[in-house]
Amino acid sequence: MNDLCAILPVDKPAGWTSFDVLAKLRGALGTRRLGHSGTLDPMATGVLAVFIGSATAAADRQTDHDKTYEATLRLGVRTDTGDITGTVLETAPVTIGESELRAVLPRFIGEQMQLPPMYSAVKINGQPLYKAARKGQTVERTPRPITVYGIDYLGSPAPQEFTLRVSCSKGTYIRVLAEDIGAALGVPAALSALRRTRAGVFGIEQCHTLPEILAAAENGTLRDNGWLLPVETVFAPLPALTVDDFVKTHLMNGCPTSHYPAQEGRYRVYDQNGLFLGLAGVNGGVLRVEKLFCDRT
């Protein structure tokens, strides 16, 4: 499968890092050239889009980086990692319930600044924060802008636990959001469960578990069962542009096409046979290739 250029949406299992998933898939997919979009904590499950072969170049070029999570908060406990896999630093009695929680949720919707947690892959001076955290060190961090588009209350699966659906921008840490909600309620809080149900254009309904994927790879059906999505899937929010053979040749050779009759902007480009060529942009009436994802021959 070393000629693959595709995207495989995976339902990441709990207890695995995102890197663990890639390591497991390298053998099944027959290539070491794998990447993913949007790291998930080991405790978390759900949508992890795996980019295969030359599709790895698409991960950072996608237009939709928004995420949706189902997060369960446990009130009355604070840990060093922000979830229940960490060391407990504080416990406290909980006297509030659903009505108090619902009342504070609106204040967390909208644009805000969020401080990245120490247990995260954010790099300061070239070093991931989690490495310093494991040594018991605290590094000065700068709050980052995030947007929470919506928070829906989904119910209480257990005493002192409450599940929320959170739709948010790239870079939002749900662990930090949980701690901040707890602070607004006057109690410590941590995540007891986290499931990502959407990452960009990919939804949980498109995902398959590792056992399913490995079994399909073993019996030779992975290429034909529709689970491997074409690379242009990730660019679905962009308008499509069909070019003639003359312009296609220019694009394939990296040459600009002047006086191109299309609106300014970024496009996913196809030839007249419907073959996806790649990304291009029109600026000042000039069409220029951004990235090709097709065979140049």
Side-chain angles (χ1 to χ4, degrees), residues 79-155:
T79 72
D80 58 350
T81 61
D83 60 46
I84 58 170
T85 67
T87 301
V88 175
L89 303 177
E90 177 188 3
T91 60
V94 178
T95 58
I96 58 95
E98 176 186 331
S99 60
E100 291 88 351
L101 174 63
R102 285 179 177 272
V104 304
L105 293 181
R107 72 178 70 173
F108 295 98
I109 297 174
E111 297 179 358
Q112 54 199 276
M113 301 297 290
Q114 188 184 69
L115 189 69
M118 280 300 303
Y119 278 91
S120 69
V122 173
K123 291 184 178 180
I124 304 293
N125 297 324
Q127 185 84 338
L129 287 173
Y130 67 81
K131 290 191 175 181
R134 288 172 180 170
K135 298 175 184 177
Q137 302 170 349
T138 300
V139 177
E140 185 176 347
R141 291 150 286 159
T142 302
R144 299 181 172 198
I146 64 162
T147 303
V148 176
Y149 305 111
I151 306 178
D152 299 314
Y153 177 74
L154 299 182

Side-chain angles (χ1 to χ4, degrees), residues 196-218:
R196 187 158 69 193
T197 58
R198 186 176 72 88
V201 300
F202 304 106
I204 192 66
E205 69 281 355
Q206 296 171 283
C207 296
H208 302 278
T209 66
L210 276 179
E212 290 173 336
I213 293 166
L214 296 175
E218 179 70 22

Side-chain angles (χ1 to χ4, degrees), residues 27-277:
L29 297 174
T31 179
R32 297 193 59 80
R33 196 177 177 190
L34 298 179
H36 65 77
S37 176
T39 301
L40 280 175
D41 293 336
M43 182 191 76
T45 66
V47 182
L48 183 72
V50 174
F51 292 73
I52 307 166
S54 56
T56 54
D60 294 330
R61 289 182 165 88
Q62 57 188 308
T63 59
D64 185 352
H65 291 277
D66 293 338
K67 312 289 196 301
T68 301
Y69 297 90
E70 291 182 3
T72 300
L73 282 61
R74 180 175 297 176
L75 301 183
V77 61
R78 181 172 67 90
T79 72
D80 58 350
T81 61
D83 60 46
I84 58 170
T85 67
T87 301
V88 175
L89 303 177
E90 177 188 3
T91 60
V94 178
T95 58
I96 58 95
E98 176 186 331
S99 60
E100 291 88 351
L101 174 63
R102 285 179 177 272
V104 304
L105 293 181
R107 72 178 70 173
F108 295 98
I109 297 174
E111 297 179 358
Q112 54 199 276
M113 301 297 290
Q114 188 184 69
L115 189 69
M118 280 300 303
Y119 278 91
S120 69
V122 173
K123 291 184 178 180
I124 304 293
N125 297 324
Q127 185 84 338
L129 287 173
Y130 67 81
K131 290 191 175 181
R134 288 172 180 170
K135 298 175 184 177
Q137 302 170 349
T138 300
V139 177
E140 185 176 347
R141 291 150 286 159
T142 302
R144 299 181 172 198
I146 64 162
T147 303
V148 176
Y149 305 111
I151 306 178
D152 299 314
Y153 177 74
L154 299 182
S156 178
Q160 302 179 6
E161 291 198 351
F162 304 91
T163 300
L164 307 174
R165 181 186 295 115
V166 181
S167 300
C168 56
S169 64
K170 175 184 178 181
T172 302
Y173 284 93
I174 307 299
R175 287 176 286 141
V176 175
L177 180 63
E179 292 176 328
D180 290 345
I181 290 173
L185 294 167
V187 294
L191 282 183
S192 62
L194 183 65
R195 182 162 178 76
R196 187 158 69 193
T197 58
R198 186 176 72 88
V201 300
F202 304 106
I204 192 66
E205 69 281 355
Q206 296 171 283
C207 296
H208 302 278
T209 66
L210 276 179
E212 290 173 336
I213 293 166
L214 296 175
E218 179 70 22
N219 62 33
T221 61
L222 187 56
R223 276 184 178 271
D224 306 316
N225 59 14
W227 296 359
L228 295 171
L229 304 180
V231 65
E232 64 261 37
T233 305
V234 76
F235 303 122
L238 293 175
L241 185 69
T242 299
V243 299
D244 59 26
D245 288 343
F246 174 79
V247 175
K248 176 181 177 179
T249 300
H250 270 217
L251 291 172
M252 300 296 275
N253 292 325
C255 300
T257 302
S258 301
H259 309 295
Y260 195 80
Q263 291 186 342
E264 305 274 299
R266 195 171 178 228
Y267 294 89
R268 50 190 168 94
V269 183
Y270 298 83
D271 69 9
Q272 292 178 313
N273 295 318
L275 174 68
F276 176 64
L277 303 179

